[in-house]
């Protein structure tokens, strides 16, 4: 590789007309590197400055450190075996440790006018601070409203949803703090950003659990939850796999590969699990609606199912679309769509679970709740219960009724009239 670069890279003896591509290290302690022949161009408190002028088209630039050296007599490259001996003429096999601190920015540090929101960020991460701030403002409005709702109606469903919303807000606060500090110094709070990402995953998995519970009719058509180990087992497995995917993506995936988390086999596993849970969600919701005959509850389940299905399906779709998007824009695209979909889902759920509306279809267990309610639930779910305000004909009234006649009639009104 370096033999080819030797014909294009600048060197004062071997190629005086080449491009400025190399910096020789290590540099003398407290002094400029030997390749810096224009000290005024070096940023203060640094040993070398490498300027890239390419404002027309964004692209990725990488810094590569290679253990080799150039023989200035023959202009050939040789492998660097180890540290030099005291005479500085021969090399040893001892490893040589190089301490370095690179600072990469988008802009000229010697100029006072530059965009603070873009200066410290790589092009693929620019404008993420604005995204975080926009959604942070949205949750600043939504969270107090939902806290008021949960204080008004202390229901398990509302509490679970509020907890998921709080986790999402805290995660967003962590990401905002990290990004703001990163915009200031280029370092940020890496641990805080990681904690924010993990809390974001926990919030989404908790929201998914809420959707599954409501799809099974919990607190809507029944107070007892069936198949508890299966529901919580699937939810826990999905959350653990998602967190492990995040850890694997941040520690094992090489940034040079220019891929996102959904272009790896753990990412495809997460998408497959999400699709499987979505299918289960649809089947459970269909089963719940088949045994529900209360119109307000059916309307709630219908709107709830439609909005939840959109939330389930958006991630696999954008993962497929992201395959066709340049890595320069892919991260911002996925981040923007993901936060938009989550915020919209939280807003819709807050609307559906608002106290004045949800009291029509959420079941509230009284303090003297007894075991007899289970039999009542089974009776209410029976197919023969058509409407809550219908009563069956007595044996004497229906003994002569034809098979084609209606066997249910409206209850008697206060004035004694009956409508069949």
């Amino acid at each position: 590789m370096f033999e080819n670069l030797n014909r294009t890279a600048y060197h004062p003896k071997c190629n005086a007309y080449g491009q400025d591509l190399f910096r020789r290290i290590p540099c003398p302690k407290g002094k400029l590197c030997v390749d810096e022949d224009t000290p005024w161009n070096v940023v203060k408190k640094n040993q070398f400055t490498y300027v890239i002028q390419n404002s027309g088209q964004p692209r990725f630039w990488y810094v590569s450190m290679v253990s080799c050296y150039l023989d200035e007599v023959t202009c050939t490259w040789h492998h660097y075996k180890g540290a030099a001996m005291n005479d500085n003429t021969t090399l040893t096999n001892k490893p040589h440790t190089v301490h370095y601190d690179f600072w990469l920015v988008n802009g000229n540090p010697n100029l006072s006018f530059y965009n603070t929101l873009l200066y410290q960020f790589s092009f693929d991460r620019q404008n993420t601070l604005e995204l975080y701030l926009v959604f942070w403002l949205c949750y600043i409005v939504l969270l107090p409203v939902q806290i008021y709702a949960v204080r008004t109606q202390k229901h398990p469903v509302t509490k679970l949803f509020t907890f998921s919303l709080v986790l999402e807000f805290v995660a967003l606060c962590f990401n905002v703090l990290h990004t703001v500090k990163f915009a200031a110094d280029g370092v940020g709070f890496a641990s805080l950003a990681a904690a924010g990402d993990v809390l974001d995953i926990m919030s989404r998995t908790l929201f998914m659990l809420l959707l599954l519970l409501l799809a099974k009719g919990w607190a809507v058509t029944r107070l007892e939850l069936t198949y508890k180990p299966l529901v919580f087992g699937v939810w826990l497995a999905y959350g653990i796999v998602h967190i492990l995917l995040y850890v694997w993506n941040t520690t094992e995936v090489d940034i040079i590969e220019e891929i996102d988390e959904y272009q790896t086999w753990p990412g495809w596993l997460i998408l497959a699990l999400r699709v499987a849970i979505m299918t289960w969600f649809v089947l459970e919701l269909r089963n719940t609606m088949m045994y529900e005959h209360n119109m307000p509850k059916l309307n709630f389940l219908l709107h709830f199912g439609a909005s939840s299905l959109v939330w389930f399906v958006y991630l696999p779709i954008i993962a497929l679309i992201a395959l066709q998007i340049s890595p320069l824009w892919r991260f911002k695209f996925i981040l923007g769509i993901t936060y938009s979909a989550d915020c919209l889902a939280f807003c819709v759920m807050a609307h559906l679970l608002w106290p004045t509306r949800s009291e029509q279809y959420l079941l509230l267990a009284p303090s003297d709740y007894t075991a007899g309610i289970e039999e009542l639930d089974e009776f209410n779910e029976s197919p023969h219960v058509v409407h809550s305000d219908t009563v069956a004909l007595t044996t004497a009234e229906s003994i002569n009724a034809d098979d084609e006649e209606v066997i249910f009639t409206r209850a008697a009104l206060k004035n004694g009239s009956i409508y069949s």
Side-chain angles (χ1 to χ4, degrees), residues 138-198:
C138 293
Y139 285 110
I140 277 289
V141 176
L142 180 60
L143 184 60
V145 172
Q146 182 56 33
I147 291 177
Y148 168 79
V150 76
R151 290 173 61 89
T152 303
Q153 184 187 65
K154 297 180 180 180
H155 193 276
V157 171
T158 312
K159 291 179 180 179
L160 186 60
F161 170 65
T162 305
F163 186 58
S164 174
L165 184 59
V166 169
L167 284 180
E168 182 68 19
F169 178 73
V170 174
L172 196 55
C173 288
F174 285 175
N175 286 324
V176 168
L177 288 175
H178 162 70
T179 314
V180 168
K181 188 174 185 297
F182 191 92
D185 59 9
V187 179
F189 300 107
S191 57
L192 202 63
D197 292 338
V198 172

Side-chain angles (χ1 to χ4, degrees), residues 22-294:
F22 294 139
R23 292 293 186 275
R24 283 175 285 180
I25 57 173
C27 303
K29 187 174 182 179
K31 299 180 181 179
L32 298 181
C33 295
V34 294
D35 294 316
E36 291 295 349
D37 51 0
T38 54
W40 58 268
N41 192 47
V42 179
V43 179
K44 294 181 179 179
K45 299 181 181 180
N46 288 272
Q47 293 181 291
F48 74 88
T49 298
Y50 191 85
V51 180
I52 299 173
Q53 296 179 348
N54 185 18
S55 58
Q57 176 65 34
R59 57 173 295 183
F60 287 106
W61 292 85
Y62 301 97
V63 177
S64 177
M65 293 189 295
V66 184
S67 57
C68 60
Y69 67 96
L70 179 66
D71 188 336
E72 297 184 355
V73 177
T74 61
C75 291
T76 57
W77 292 92
H78 301 278
H79 178 65
Y80 184 81
K81 298 180 180 179
M85 297 184 66
N86 295 332
D87 57 4
N88 205 29
T89 58
T90 57
L91 299 177
T92 66
N93 291 325
K94 297 180 180 180
H96 195 171
T97 303
V98 177
H99 299 277
Y100 63 91
D101 182 14
F102 294 151
W103 180 33
L104 291 84
V105 295
N106 267 311
N108 190 343
N110 292 323
L111 300 179
S112 58
F113 53 91
Y114 53 79
N115 193 336
T116 307
L117 299 177
L118 307 178
Y119 183 61
Q120 299 284 1
F121 296 93
S122 174
F123 182 83
D124 61 321
R125 299 299 177 103
Q126 289 179 353
N127 304 117
T128 54
L129 176 57
E130 293 92 321
L131 278 175
Y132 286 133
L133 288 175
V134 167
F135 289 106
W136 182 77
L137 292 175
C138 293
Y139 285 110
I140 277 289
V141 176
L142 180 60
L143 184 60
V145 172
Q146 182 56 33
I147 291 177
Y148 168 79
V150 76
R151 290 173 61 89
T152 303
Q153 184 187 65
K154 297 180 180 180
H155 193 276
V157 171
T158 312
K159 291 179 180 179
L160 186 60
F161 170 65
T162 305
F163 186 58
S164 174
L165 184 59
V166 169
L167 284 180
E168 182 68 19
F169 178 73
V170 174
L172 196 55
C173 288
F174 285 175
N175 286 324
V176 168
L177 288 175
H178 162 70
T179 314
V180 168
K181 188 174 185 297
F182 191 92
D185 59 9
V187 179
F189 300 107
S191 57
L192 202 63
D197 292 338
V198 172
L199 287 177
D200 183 54
I201 294 173
M202 293 175 61
S203 172
R204 294 174 187 173
T205 53
L206 196 62
F207 186 72
M208 180 180 291
L209 174 64
L210 175 62
L211 299 185
L212 286 175
L213 294 178
L214 290 176
K216 291 180 68 65
W218 177 65
V220 178
T221 62
R222 60 176 65 91
L223 290 172
E224 287 295 323
L225 180 63
T226 58
Y227 301 105
K228 290 182 182 179
L230 177 62
V231 174
F232 288 98
V234 171
W235 166 69
L236 189 62
Y238 180 83
I240 292 175
V241 171
H242 204 163
I243 293 176
L244 291 178
L245 166 64
Y246 170 77
V247 175
W248 181 84
N249 185 61
T250 54
T251 58
E252 299 297 329
V253 176
D254 194 343
I255 191 175
I256 297 180
E257 297 181 15
E258 297 180 358
I259 60 176
D260 62 84
E261 57 184 323
Y262 299 113
Q263 291 180 319
T264 60
W265 68 264
W268 291 114
L269 176 61
I270 284 292
L271 294 178
L273 285 175
R274 189 181 181 96
V275 172
I277 294 175
M278 178 184 67
T279 305
W280 184 27
F281 167 84
V282 173
L283 295 176
E284 290 289 351
L285 184 63
R286 176 179 176 273
N287 183 61
T288 300
M289 295 182 68
M290 286 180 61
Y291 290 96
E292 180 56 61
H293 310 288
N294 183 279

